[in-house]
Amino acid sequence: MEEYRFRQGFLWGGACSGPQCEGVFPGDGKQDSIWEQWYREDPNAFYQQVGPQFTSNFYQNYQELIPMMRECGITSFRTSIQWSRVMTDREGTINPEGLAFYDRLVDALIANGIQPMLCLLHFDLPMYWMEKGGFERRETVTAFARYARLCFEHFSDRVKMWFTFNEPVVIPEQGYLYQHHYPLVRDGKRAIQVAYHIQLASSMAVREFRKMNSPGQIGIVTNLTPAYCQDPDNTEDQNASQAVDLIFNRSFLDPSVKGEYPRELVSLLKDNSVLPSYHSEDLDLIRDNTVDFVGVNYYHPRRVRHRQAPFVSNVFMPDKYFEYYVPENCRMNISRGWEIYEKGIYDIGINLRDNYGNIPWMVTENGMGVQDEEQFMDKDGMVQDDYRITFIKDHLKWLHRAIQEGCACFGYHMWSPFDSWSWSNAYKNRYGLIRIDIAKEAKPTYKKSAQWFRQLSDQNGFTDKDGAPLFL
Ligand code: BGP
């Protein structure tokens, strides 16, 4: 029986985001983000037509849920401020209702012994900026810096841990390449411009933060998805995984942590005539405003190999450099269609240790979304989610090992303390320690994992008794 203990002060908690939990209510002054707009245009794009207005009702029930989260051992919690809730227009007019909500929320978290962490943008650009071109335009970048300043000024007395963006690469990737997020574009050149402007916006927000001499710290949440190639001895396969790493991981990690873009990425973009337009002084700004720490979201790896057949496209798409493959005997979370590969978390840690100056980092998201969880309810209505316990435990074992080998990881946040709205998947897959059933107007209930997580947090670790098998 092995013991896995983490150091004193290691952060245990969970994460969610404004658009995935708050909901929209008459009189709250919230403006549309891209999600409300997309839902209005095409409700069928959302699982069972459940849209962003019907999320976990956190705007109204946070007072009930926060003590429940604390009961689960959540002692730090990241959520995001919705820009579209605190500013009503492009002029930056403040919505007092919006600020007041986040005030109440932050105060309630602190009163319940939960450290609040705030992220400034979690995929939810206000529509008033999207209709002007979103992050394709520089104006949105400077507006983001102004919004960031407002948030720092208003909350920094109580909030000490900040994140500029959540998974910034997802915005160009899903919104401008693969058409899974609004505005559903497929155009690599536009995607690269958007990515560049988001990095600039993040660096500008860091600059605002530094100007305030705030005692807190600022980071960025990156979904560092290790790209493993099929045949490590095959140069073409190595090149494929290197291109994937450059485009999907290093495009934000390097400028955010090292203050500069990888030379190989710049050459790749030049070769494809998709370098973004920029001002030369931007590069100084990016160099001078790196983050204090990194948040890492990890769910699954990428398995790639070199492209077997030529890739035909009239626009630049990263796919010309690689294709995905499914390794034999790989374990899948079949609900989400994601491979389960716990060692990825260790590999990320070692990479940050060896190639990024051992920058402090925390796991900002890791978790298991499972469909139809009611099938696992016992006779008292408690979801027996042993698979979730095993999933977390198995990742923590690798994280523990990475820390033992010198990685500077200081916390672990699971996604998410309570069931939340998964974008176009809505409530198809559930991730929470707490079950939420808004449609049935049911009271939130603890799942089995809630008690396990409480123990983990109280004891700063766990003992590896016989675990339940993963649900595969
Ligand atoms: C991350 C996002 C979260 C969350 C999570 C789970 O990429 O930052 O917002 O949604 O993935 O994924 P999904 O909800 O798509 O199942």
Side-chain angles (χ1 to χ4, degrees):
M1 197 164 68
E2 281 223 52
E3 285 219 329
Y4 298 86
R5 298 281 155 222
F6 291 73
R7 68 164 174 71
Q8 202 63 32
F10 193 81
L11 298 178
W12 296 107
C16 199
S17 76
Q20 291 178 273
C21 68
E22 290 169 11
V24 185
F25 299 91
D28 65 4
K30 186 183 172 311
Q31 304 302 304
D32 286 349
S33 77
I34 56 172
W35 295 96
E36 283 90 25
Q37 177 66 24
W38 186 16
Y39 184 74
R40 186 173 311 112
E41 286 177 19
D42 186 8
N44 289 321
F46 295 79
Y47 184 70
Q48 294 179 339
Q49 297 200 338
V50 175
Q53 67 277 42
F54 304 118
T55 59
S56 301
N57 204 0
F58 202 49
Y59 190 78
Q60 292 186 325
N61 67 7
Y62 69 94
Q63 277 161 321
E64 180 183 10
L65 279 174
I66 288 174
M68 287 185 75
M69 279 162 51
R70 185 63 193 81
E71 274 297 305
C72 298
I74 302 288
T75 54
S76 52
F77 176 60
R78 170 176 65 108
T79 186
S80 69
I81 299 176
Q82 295 198 72
W83 189 354
S84 58
R85 190 182 284 294
V86 299
M87 282 180 164
T88 58
D89 52 30
R90 286 192 295 277
E91 283 65 55
T93 308
I94 290 170
N95 171 26
E97 289 297 326
L99 284 181
F101 165 66
Y102 293 113
D103 275 332
R104 292 194 298 275
L105 175 59
V106 163
D107 292 346
L109 287 165
I110 295 170
N112 282 277
I114 300 177
Q115 179 188 356
M117 300 184 183
L118 291 178
C119 179
L120 296 170
L121 202 107
H122 196 123
F123 310 161
D124 59 333
L125 191 69
M127 222 23 234
Y128 50 75
W129 282 115
M130 180 52 87
E131 67 201 14
K132 290 286 172 191
F135 277 111
E136 288 186 76
R137 288 192 55 201
R138 225 180 143 92
E139 221 187 322
T140 310
V141 177
T142 45
F144 180 78
R146 178 179 60 182
Y147 155 65
R149 189 171 60 240
L150 167 76
C151 296
F152 301 148
E153 280 170 358
H154 196 87
F155 299 105
S156 278
D157 56 335
R158 290 154 290 162
V159 177
K160 306 297 176 202
M161 299 280 273
W162 290 89
F163 298 93
T164 55
F165 282 80
N166 176 78
E167 300 190 354
V169 78
V170 167
I171 302 173
E173 180 189 2
Q174 304 301 350
Y176 293 83
L177 290 173
Y178 301 114
Q179 300 174 298
H180 295 134
H181 287 189
Y182 202 80
L184 307 165
V185 168
R186 180 184 156 90
D187 185 334
K189 187 163 174 55
R190 289 171 67 184
I192 300 295
Q193 187 65 57
V194 165
Y196 172 70
H197 276 155
I198 291 174
Q199 177 58 52
L200 186 61
S202 175
S203 304
M204 278 191 187
V206 173
R207 183 173 65 175
E208 293 303 322
F209 190 76
R210 304 276 180 242
K211 277 190 209 158
M212 289 185 51
N213 266 328
S214 160
Q217 294 197 309
I218 190 154
I220 187 166
V221 176
T222 48
N223 46 321
L224 299 181
T225 309
Y228 301 104
C229 64
Q230 186 170 28
D231 179 357
D233 298 324
N234 175 317
T235 318
E236 285 183 294
D237 275 7
Q238 286 166 11
N239 291 343
S241 63
Q242 204 202 4
V244 170
D245 191 38
L246 283 170
I247 295 169
F248 295 111
N249 295 327
R250 297 185 62 193
S251 52
F252 284 96
L253 186 62
D254 282 45
S256 294
V257 175
K258 298 181 173 176
E260 58 185 26
Y261 283 98
R263 259 183 302 120
E264 306 90 312
L265 177 61
V266 176
S267 314
L268 183 153
L269 299 180
K270 224 184 240 169
D271 291 348
N272 289 284
S273 309
V274 291
L275 269 184
S277 63
Y278 66 102
H279 298 180
S280 57
E281 65 271 20
D282 294 352
L283 302 182
D284 295 339
L285 197 156
I286 291 172
R287 192 197 54 228
D288 295 342
N289 293 285
T290 53
V291 291
D292 298 315
F293 68 100
V294 175
V296 173
N297 291 356
Y298 177 68
Y299 290 91
H300 59 88
R302 285 182 205 260
R303 303 286 182 180
V304 298
R305 63 183 174 204
H306 71 276
R307 202 152 251 299
Q308 321 273 300
F311 181 73
V312 184
S313 168
N314 56 353
V315 288
F316 167 68
M317 292 294 283
D319 308 63
K320 69 186 266 190
Y321 290 106
F322 71 96
E323 64 185 26
Y324 291 111
Y325 79 99
V326 182
E328 259 175 56
N329 304 323
C330 83
R331 290 168 309 135
M332 296 291 283
N333 168 3
I334 46 168
S335 296
R336 189 61 183 82
W338 282 345
E339 182 186 344
I340 300 175
Y341 184 66
E342 301 87 349
K343 180 173 176 282
I345 215 162
Y346 167 86
D347 292 339
I348 292 170
I350 299 300
N351 182 32
L352 292 175
R353 185 193 69 185
D354 294 349
N355 300 314
Y356 294 86
N358 207 13
I359 185 165
W361 62 285
M362 63 177 285
V363 176
T364 33
E365 285 182 33
N366 176 236
M368 191 176 183
V370 171
Q371 195 170 354
D372 301 329
E373 271 201 322
E374 33 308 316
Q375 66 183 298
F376 303 110
M377 271 179 185
D378 64 14
K379 60 176 179 10
D380 301 319
M382 181 186 265
V383 177
Q384 299 293 313
D385 53 346
D386 297 86
Y387 43 82
R388 181 162 293 113
I389 299 171
T390 305
F391 182 97
I392 296 177
K393 204 154 71 169
D394 288 352
H395 282 81
L396 285 176
K397 287 180 191 172
W398 279 105
L399 183 63
H400 186 263
R401 177 162 164 190
I403 294 170
Q404 281 192 319
E405 293 179 20
C407 294
C409 178
F410 60 85
Y412 175 89
H413 276 190
M414 50 85 57
W415 181 273
S416 68
F418 46 85
D419 291 341
S420 58
W421 183 75
S422 278
W423 315 110
S424 52
N425 276 336
Y427 284 88
K428 177 166 174 273
N429 305 310
R430 289 163 178 279
Y431 284 87
L433 303 174
I434 298 170
R435 183 174 170 90
I436 300 270
D437 222 329
I438 293 294
K440 293 193 181 136
E441 294 185 5
K443 288 275 237 194
T445 54
Y446 295 110
K447 302 180 193 173
K448 182 175 180 181
S449 55
Q451 199 193 354
W452 182 82
F453 201 87
R454 171 67 190 253
Q455 259 176 30
L456 168 75
S457 166
D458 284 355
Q459 297 170 6
N460 225 6
F462 61 96
T463 308
D464 191 23
K465 297 204 211 80
D466 290 339
L470 268 174
F471 166 66
L472 297 173

